[in-house]
Amino acid sequence: MATTRLRLRIRGVVQGVGFRPYVCNLARRHRLAGFVLNSARGVFIEIEGQPQIVDAFIAALPAEAPPLVRIAEIQCDEIPAVGDSEFVIRESEAGESAFALIPPDICVCDACLADTRDPLNRRFEYPFTNCTNCGPRYSIILDVPYDRPMTTMAEFVMCEACRREYGDPADRRFHAQPNACPFCGPHLILNVPDEASAAQMGTRAILELVTDALRIGKIVAWKGLGGYQLACDARQSSAVEEMRRRKRRSEKPFAIMVGDVETAESLCVISCEERAVLLSPERPIVLLRRRPGADLAQGVSPGNPATGVMLPCTPMHDLLFRILRERSGNAPALVMTSGNISEEPIVIDNQEAEQQLACIADLFAHHNRRIHTRVDDSVVRVVAGQTMLLRRARGFTPRPVLLGRGEAEVLACGAQQKSTLCLTRAGFAIPSQHLGDLENFETLRFFEETLERMSRLFHVKPTAVAYDLHPGYLSTQFALKQEGLRPIGVQHHHAHIASCMAEHGLDGRVIGVAWDGTGFGTDRTIWGGEFLAADYLSFDRFARLRPVLLAGGDSAVREPWRIARSYLLDAFEGAIPPGAAWEQMASPDRVRIVDTMLRRRVHTIPTSSAGRLFDAVASMIDLRHTVSFEGQAAMMLETAAEAWTGPSQQSWAFTLAGAGPMEADLRPMIRQIVEDVKRGESQPSIAARFHTTLVALIAEVCRRMRTELSLNRVCLSGGCFQNARLLQGCMRALREDGFEVFFQREVPANDGGISLGQAAVACEILRREP
């Protein structure tokens, strides 16, 4: 019968994830001949057989791939048949400049979990059980090629039984670099300050002591997959409040971990999509709507109806929860928050933990598998049935984005808040994990550490560095100090839209709606309510929110009443109507000083920020006048809107005037809000109508842009679009009007996605040059 032979080049996360044995078994199942091998340019497959069977093999290749595999591109060429009689795995080809995409750390798979729960299995209750389909990857790898000597597992010599599994292509632990068992692998270490060391105790004995400590309200520092976590009983108010006091975290919500999805469902309302994300291999923190009367301490997420929930991601976590249930008789829930002092990087080293976390933790559950790269927990929420990343870290990093914008090697330094960096190589963009706010030496050092490790790991030697235009950002200052690299400045909101375009693989010009808190504009003012006509190379500012003055710079971010005063003075031309709501935002002396600053334009700067508009309205309706963490007032405004159960509301009035850019004037809305507050309208009613008005405004500006510019694709980006009510309202209105709408899912819409946009812009600039 006629035979055909194809050569396939597979690019993506396809090395070190069990892809070759999967390909081999799939080809043999289809009775095809040929080979598969790793190389510096990807995985190569040559496959030979009857044409229709070869087609079936290619169709099954991505559909049935192991969970860690992420195929970005398949190139296919027909070559002469050679008459092979079997399919084999060939030795990897070495390359002068090895480049492989590394998989992220993934939660324990069901098969490994079953091993740890089987009393007859040699890995019974072994907390470091893993296989080719699960376990640590990015956090333990030192360099490529991804082999055991290049990981922190190098110091653990495999026993004979583990080595047999490692060398057997039919075994799910074939070439699983972290493979280990109780006889040859890492182990737990308990340290209780001021008490004798329990380092030689067994796993169960250590975890029983940990559970006993948690049950009496103690705080435990727990070494997880990508760094330390701090845990306490989420049902004990005294334990949660003590965690807040010691961690210096007054109101920002804590995440919790529960042992199974059933416990999560007893505490929160969970949709089918949210359930799937909770149980996904990435095991992120998922923001869920808490049930009324849920058995959790109020201090877990004060003033917020949502709670971040995650399930165990390692056998160690699973075993802890099983022992907790055994000893308490009920379903446990633990606060599980990052092991750090607030605003500093997560701790990863045993000794470092005991030094830095001694003021927080009562005891330490260490282990002796070194973490090379610190990776915090990822955070997601489900919007319109789709997962949206709010913080991209464990489980997702360093998953690449295929840019397809040339082969340039670029470093993008990101922004200041929710910082990430991004490197490009071979047409891929590789965003880093969440690094934190670049506002202190420790986080800057983490930034530099991550850059050094990613550059080595992915063999990137940048020729250009992309940066934000804000001269005060540490990321910008770092970029401009790099010698020998071409500097490419990228405006903040242009980067937001380019990031959304890159994630969705869009080319050409789009309507970009970039709404956030702060971004340095080309006119040296603060932007943040922008409507751009943009591609990767350039943008035009079609429209903006009418600017108001920020009094006192960053103080206005911490004290939303200041921006509320600015909006009120602007809307009423300096004569704010009398009313307790605006007169009692702060002390009379402070209100008088800020009003004077605004009227005289002293220590003020204009801003078109949508984020500050949310803050202002939250203060006007007496939700929040000061904040203890970024976005707090806006979150409360969204929560209030969600509490509205009355009929659908009409938009308040607004005006659009001018050009280059057009100005969206919301003063009529502000005046109406004042009237509604004076009439005693409820906070939920006003908050809901505020959101309705913003949706109407965005839809109207996009319609005008379509009419004038013949554009029909809309990219929604910026931190404001992590507001589910705003995002869903915009998507519904725009799609009903015939627009194609894109929003960010795999990369955060907040400033965590800026580095990807910068990288995409820089690569396009370099690609277009002769």
Side-chain angles (χ1 to χ4, degrees):
M1 299 181 66
T3 61
T4 187
R5 188 177 183 94
L6 300 180
R7 177 182 292 128
L8 308 178
R9 181 193 179 194
I10 318 293
R11 301 179 72 204
V13 182
V14 289
Q15 300 188 34
V17 290
F19 189 60
R20 287 181 301 156
Y22 158 70
V23 170
C24 183
N25 291 330
L26 183 67
R28 290 175 178 177
R29 195 177 82 206
H30 283 78
R31 301 182 183 279
L32 296 171
F35 65 84
V36 59
L37 63 81
N38 280 340
S39 83
R41 296 178 295 132
V43 169
F44 282 87
I45 303 169
E46 290 195 13
I47 195 79
E48 184 171 330
Q50 296 176 32
Q52 65 272 27
I53 299 178
V54 169
D55 290 344
F57 167 86
I58 293 174
L61 192 62
E64 302 177 22
L68 297 189
V69 170
R70 290 290 184 277
I71 294 176
E73 184 180 47
I74 300 178
Q75 297 176 0
C76 182
D77 296 298
E78 187 168 359
I79 59 176
V82 298
D84 283 343
S85 59
E86 62 177 346
F87 195 94
V88 299
I89 299 175
R90 287 192 179 175
E91 289 293 320
S92 300
E93 286 183 351
E96 291 183 4
S97 181
F99 172 61
L101 293 168
I102 306 302
D105 302 304
I106 291 294
C107 81
V108 58
C109 68
D110 290 343
C112 285
L113 209 54
D115 289 346
T116 67
R117 294 176 176 181
D118 179 2
L120 301 180
N121 192 289
R122 70 190 188 92
R123 291 188 173 86
F124 177 58
E125 295 190 344
Y126 182 57
F128 303 96
T129 299
N130 66 86
C131 71
T132 310
N133 297 323
C134 70
R137 295 293 190 278
Y138 181 56
S139 62
I140 65 168
I141 186 170
L142 308 175
D143 204 345
V144 291
Y146 175 52
D147 291 320
R148 194 177 181 100
M150 294 294 189
T151 73
T152 60
M153 286 296 294
E155 57 203 73
F156 301 99
V157 179
M158 280 186 282
C159 65
E160 186 57 37
C162 286
R163 184 159 292 283
R164 279 197 303 271
E165 296 167 334
Y166 182 87
D168 182 0
D171 195 289
R172 78 172 196 276
R173 294 190 171 94
F174 174 65
H175 281 201
Q177 306 305 337
N179 189 29
C181 73
F183 303 102
C184 64
H187 60 267
L188 292 180
I189 306 165
L190 182 71
N191 183 38
V192 183
D194 303 323
E195 293 187 18
S197 173
Q200 302 306 311
M201 297 173 64
T203 295
R204 173 166 275 273
I206 288 176
L207 293 182
E208 286 176 346
L209 286 175
V210 169
T211 60
D212 289 345
L214 290 167
R215 290 176 61 207
I216 61 173
K218 298 293 187 181
I219 297 172
V220 177
W222 171 273
K223 190 175 183 180
L225 198 55
Y228 275 81
Q229 297 166 310
L230 292 164
C232 72
D233 189 337
R235 304 188 198 273
Q236 293 188 41
S237 294
S238 58
V240 175
E241 291 307 316
E242 185 63 14
M243 175 84 87
R244 287 199 175 280
R245 187 188 69 79
R246 295 184 190 180
K247 204 169 189 287
R248 292 178 285 179
R249 181 166 167 163
S250 58
E251 295 178 286
K252 191 174 183 180
F254 283 135
I256 66 169
M257 180 180 283
V258 295
D260 50 56
V261 73
E262 290 76 23
T263 304
E265 287 176 324
S266 74
L267 299 171
C268 299
V269 178
I270 303 178
S271 67
C272 293
E273 294 84 1
E274 289 165 338
R275 181 186 176 96
V277 180
L278 274 172
L279 292 166
S280 69
E282 291 83 6
R283 281 292 196 279
I285 298 168
V286 184
L287 294 190
L288 302 172
R289 184 160 55 90
R290 197 168 56 256
R291 292 185 184 277
D295 184 16
L296 290 174
Q298 287 188 349
V300 169
S301 44
N304 192 323
T307 297
V309 181
M310 59 179 157
L311 299 182
C313 61
T314 70
M316 188 162 44
H317 290 94
D318 178 72
L319 181 55
L320 174 69
F321 274 87
R322 285 194 284 132
I323 294 173
L324 270 168
R325 186 184 281 270
E326 287 172 11
R327 294 174 85 83
S328 66
N330 57 27
L334 299 178
V335 166
M336 196 70 76
T337 189
S338 303
N340 60 354
I341 301 295
S342 291
E343 311 308 327
E344 293 186 6
I346 189 170
V347 174
I348 59 173
D349 178 74
N350 296 12
Q351 184 175 357
E352 178 187 30
E354 297 201 10
Q355 292 172 348
Q356 294 192 21
L357 305 180
C359 58
I360 302 176
D362 296 305
L363 68 163
F364 295 83
H366 304 300
H367 59 71
N368 63 338
R369 183 179 69 201
R370 287 188 299 114
I371 297 171
H372 182 64
T373 298
R374 58 190 94 219
V375 191
D376 214 330
D377 297 314
S378 293
V379 182
V380 309
R381 77 183 302 182
V382 174
V383 179
Q386 299 185 72
T387 303
M388 180 171 67
L389 271 165
L390 307 182
R391 183 170 77 190
R392 190 178 194 265
R394 177 184 53 76
F396 296 92
T397 303
R399 195 176 290 169
V401 175
L402 181 61
L403 285 182
R405 321 215 74 76
E407 302 285 314
E409 297 186 15
V410 169
L411 161 63
C413 291
Q416 182 96 335
Q417 304 294 319
K418 299 175 176 62
S419 174
T420 62
L421 61 89
C422 185
L423 294 171
T424 66
R425 171 82 196 270
F428 288 100
I430 309 164
S432 76
Q433 67 272 34
H434 168 80
L435 303 175
D437 296 345
L438 274 181
E439 295 178 340
N440 54 53
F441 172 75
E442 291 80 9
T443 309
L444 178 60
R445 186 172 60 182
F446 181 26
F447 178 98
E448 294 171 337
E449 169 191 291
T450 302
L451 172 58
E452 185 275 327
R453 292 179 179 181
M454 287 183 66
S455 298
R456 183 177 69 248
L457 187 59
F458 297 107
H459 290 243
V460 176
K461 296 180 179 179
T463 59
V465 57
Y467 61 92
D468 193 278
L469 298 183
H470 198 304
Y473 283 1
L474 289 182
S475 58
T476 299
Q477 295 167 14
F478 175 87
L480 295 176
K481 290 177 183 176
Q482 303 308 298
E483 296 182 357
L485 301 186
R486 175 181 168 179
I488 300 176
V490 182
Q491 198 279 325
H492 188 89
H493 301 95
H494 184 203
H496 268 309
I497 302 308
S499 179
C500 186
M501 293 176 66
E503 178 180 329
H504 291 281
L506 302 181
D507 281 307
R509 211 154 175 81
V510 303
I511 297 170
V513 186
W515 278 24
D516 64 1
T518 300
F520 196 73
T522 54
D523 60 359
R524 302 187 68 80
T525 66
I526 302 301
W527 294 6
E530 311 307 312
F531 297 85
L532 310 179
D535 55 24
Y536 293 108
L537 280 179
S538 63
F539 71 93
D540 294 314
R541 194 184 189 196
F542 184 89
R544 66 175 182 189
L545 296 184
R546 173 183 167 85
V548 296
L549 296 176
L550 280 179
D554 287 345
S555 295
V557 178
R558 295 187 294 270
E559 299 181 323
W561 68 268
R562 291 173 178 251
I563 192 69
R565 298 297 300 182
S566 184
Y567 267 99
L568 290 167
L569 286 168
D570 185 51
F572 291 96
E573 299 180 350
I576 302 174
W582 2 106
E583 293 170 1
Q584 297 175 6
M585 290 175 165
S587 70
D589 286 345
R590 299 193 72 209
V591 170
R592 186 168 53 253
I593 291 169
V594 166
D595 284 0
T596 301
M597 292 169 64
L598 292 167
R599 288 189 171 102
R600 297 180 179 178
R601 294 178 172 262
V602 176
H603 298 304
T604 61
I605 185 170
T607 180
S608 58
S609 165
R612 299 292 77 80
L613 172 62
F614 275 84
D615 289 349
V617 173
S619 179
M620 285 180 207
I621 67 174
D622 201 27
L623 279 174
R624 193 82 194 191
H625 301 305
T626 63
V627 298
S628 61
F629 61 91
E630 186 198 13
Q632 185 178 15
M635 289 167 58
M636 294 180 70
L637 193 61
E638 178 187 0
T639 296
E642 289 299 313
W644 172 247
T645 57
S648 298
Q649 296 170 313
Q650 296 296 312
S651 164
W652 281 313
F654 56 84
T655 63
L656 298 172
M662 176 187 292
E663 189 167 275
D665 187 347
L666 288 166
R667 287 180 295 176
M669 179 191 76
I670 299 297
R671 291 191 285 267
Q672 188 60 57
I673 289 174
V674 167
E675 288 303 311
D676 283 3
V677 170
K678 290 170 68 175
R679 283 201 310 269
E681 284 287 341
S682 70
Q683 292 172 334
S685 172
I686 298 173
R689 195 168 183 184
F690 169 73
H691 282 79
T692 299
T693 303
L694 296 189
V695 169
L697 169 65
I698 289 170
E700 177 59 26
V701 175
C702 288
R703 281 192 290 270
R704 296 197 184 194
M705 293 181 75
R706 177 168 60 187
T707 299
E708 293 188 28
L709 305 175
S710 299
L711 300 175
N712 199 55
R713 296 178 299 171
V714 180
C715 289
L716 305 173
S717 187
C720 290
F721 289 108
Q722 292 185 329
N723 176 318
R725 189 177 185 91
L726 179 67
L727 177 60
Q728 290 180 121
C730 288
M731 290 169 61
R732 186 183 309 113
L734 292 168
R735 286 173 176 169
E736 287 175 356
D737 214 354
F739 287 97
E740 290 184 81
V741 186
F742 303 89
F743 73 99
Q744 286 172 270
R745 299 178 56 229
E746 292 292 326
V747 176
N750 59 33
D751 282 5
I754 286 287
S755 63
L756 172 62
Q758 292 172 344
V761 169
C763 284
E764 183 68 5
I765 289 172
L766 296 171
R767 184 172 77 98
R768 293 295 185 95
E769 291 181 344

